[in-house]
Amino acid sequence: MLQHLVFHPIYSQLELPVRHRFPIEKYQGIHDALCAGGVAESSFITPTPVARETLTACYDASYVDALIGGTLDTKAMRRIGFPWSEQLIKRSLTAVGGTLKTAELALQHGLALNLTGGYHHAGADWGSGFCLFNDLYLAARQMLTTPGIDSVLIIDLDVHQGDGTALLAQDDTSVITLSLHGEKNFPHRKQQSDMDFPLPKGMTDEPYLATLDEALSVAERLYAPDAVIYDAGVDVHENDDLGLLNISTPGVYQRDCMVFEWCRRHNLPVACVIGGGYQRDINALVDVHLQMYRAAGVIP
């Protein structure tokens, strides 16, 4: 599989309040680490912001307009978790555009990786948990416009259930949702994915990887998808501040290898996003996120 990388410096260009929980610097950190690992600057494809019309084709127009225009009420913004700013909107539209570009490249080349993405807590008319617009569902719908792509599987391995994605795809038989997530973690109220695997607190590598292996087998047996979107959240890591699982760095690498190998075996194009990761030590966090790029063969 060839791999293509999607990045824009705006991914990390957002002023946040001091001690804000979101590690906005990690995206630039991943880019810089990949370059240090031998990836040429010319290897990165620059995305353009998603158009309003693309968003409103899937999502509630009044929500989209209120969020873009800065008129969304305070309570709804609090649920998202970011203070509103023009830069937040610019950054978010570009990040979602990045996932759409990644999906397009994945269909052309077999494998593509965004250096952000995984905004799975956003629904049709609400945002939540640092997610403004759901890029995963939007990218899946875009992939389905390609001849020969009749079903897209979203493999969500972020530690937090993709409640927004599950709800958006609930009555959409062409978008299949698979989630391995912390049973006792955010969001408090889970939605129903096509395949949910709730994990107990403190789970370690071996049972986690065995569960993933089982989940992928079930997905193939029941759905036989034509393409995959992979949310490789690293908040499953043992040192993550918000994770509550005990997956080691080699465990994260094995997980990502397992997903890529499964996609390769079934000849499935895969678009990857990095999902969540909340260690305050940015260098340590970047190192865990790099496992996906190692597993994909981007860096050794």
Side-chain angles (χ1 to χ4, degrees):
M1 281 186 181
L2 294 168
Q3 66 276 322
H4 289 73
L5 302 165
V6 177
F7 174 73
H8 195 298
I10 202 173
Y11 289 179
S12 278
Q13 290 168 354
L14 181 64
E15 290 277 328
L16 291 173
V18 178
R19 300 292 292 168
H20 192 277
R21 186 53 279 190
F22 195 81
I24 197 73
E25 310 95 323
K26 71 179 183 178
Y27 308 109
Q28 186 67 49
I30 293 167
H31 167 273
D32 295 349
L34 290 175
C35 290
V39 175
E41 192 62 57
S42 58
S43 301
F44 296 98
I45 291 146
T46 307
T48 52
V50 62
R52 174 196 175 274
E53 294 69 33
T54 305
L55 291 170
T56 56
C58 282
Y59 305 141
D60 182 84
S62 55
Y63 168 70
V64 171
D65 290 340
L67 188 45
I68 290 174
T71 60
L72 198 66
D73 70 75
T74 310
K75 190 180 174 189
M77 277 311 299
R78 197 178 302 123
R79 186 180 181 190
I80 288 170
F82 288 127
W84 190 90
S85 65
E86 277 186 30
Q87 182 68 6
L88 172 69
I89 300 307
K90 252 194 256 183
R91 186 224 167 259
S92 299
L93 295 176
T94 307
V96 173
T99 300
L100 295 180
K101 187 67 183 173
T102 305
E104 181 192 315
L105 291 165
L107 292 181
Q108 290 170 7
H109 305 287
L111 174 61
L113 306 98
N114 196 5
L115 272 67
T116 187
Y119 304 115
H120 60 173
H121 296 307
D125 59 358
W126 46 272
S128 172
F130 309 132
C131 303
L132 284 75
F133 303 112
N134 194 306
D135 59 329
L136 303 179
Y137 185 72
L138 208 59
R141 291 305 316 165
Q142 176 187 276
M143 284 174 130
L144 289 162
T145 63
T146 302
I149 305 294
D150 298 317
S151 64
V152 176
L153 170 65
I154 298 174
I155 300 173
D156 193 337
L157 302 187
D158 192 282
V159 81
H160 305 110
Q161 192 211 33
D163 53 336
T165 315
L167 205 53
L168 286 163
Q170 203 165 50
D171 301 316
D172 186 343
T173 54
S174 53
V175 179
I176 304 139
T177 50
L178 186 165
S179 178
L180 268 68
H181 55 265
E183 186 177 20
K184 303 292 188 196
N185 210 321
F186 178 88
H188 176 66
R189 182 168 172 239
K190 308 290 190 286
Q191 299 296 335
Q192 193 169 350
S193 312
D194 291 304
M195 293 164 283
D196 278 308
F197 294 82
L199 310 174
K201 280 184 185 179
M203 184 179 245
T204 53
D205 292 5
E206 203 175 322
Y208 178 78
L209 294 169
T211 305
L212 175 58
D213 189 47
E214 180 196 336
L216 294 172
S217 299
V218 171
E220 173 56 28
R221 203 162 57 243
L222 294 185
Y223 298 101
D226 300 313
V228 167
I229 295 172
Y230 176 35
D231 183 345
V234 302
D235 36 17
V236 296
H237 193 264
E238 59 194 351
N239 294 334
D240 198 87
D241 295 356
L242 305 181
L244 309 178
L245 298 186
N246 280 328
I247 310 305
S248 68
T249 302
V252 171
Y253 174 73
Q254 284 176 269
R255 173 197 76 171
D256 295 342
C257 286
M258 189 184 286
V259 171
F260 290 137
E261 179 51 40
W262 184 79
C263 291
R264 199 176 290 120
R265 206 163 57 239
H266 297 291
N267 201 26
L268 296 171
V270 55
C272 305
V273 298
I274 73 165
Y278 300 95
Q279 293 187 54
R280 286 205 185 267
D281 180 337
I282 295 294
N283 291 335
L285 176 55
V286 163
D287 185 57
V288 191
H289 275 300
L290 286 178
Q291 303 313 309
M292 179 178 80
Y293 301 92
R294 290 202 172 97
V298 177
I299 51 171

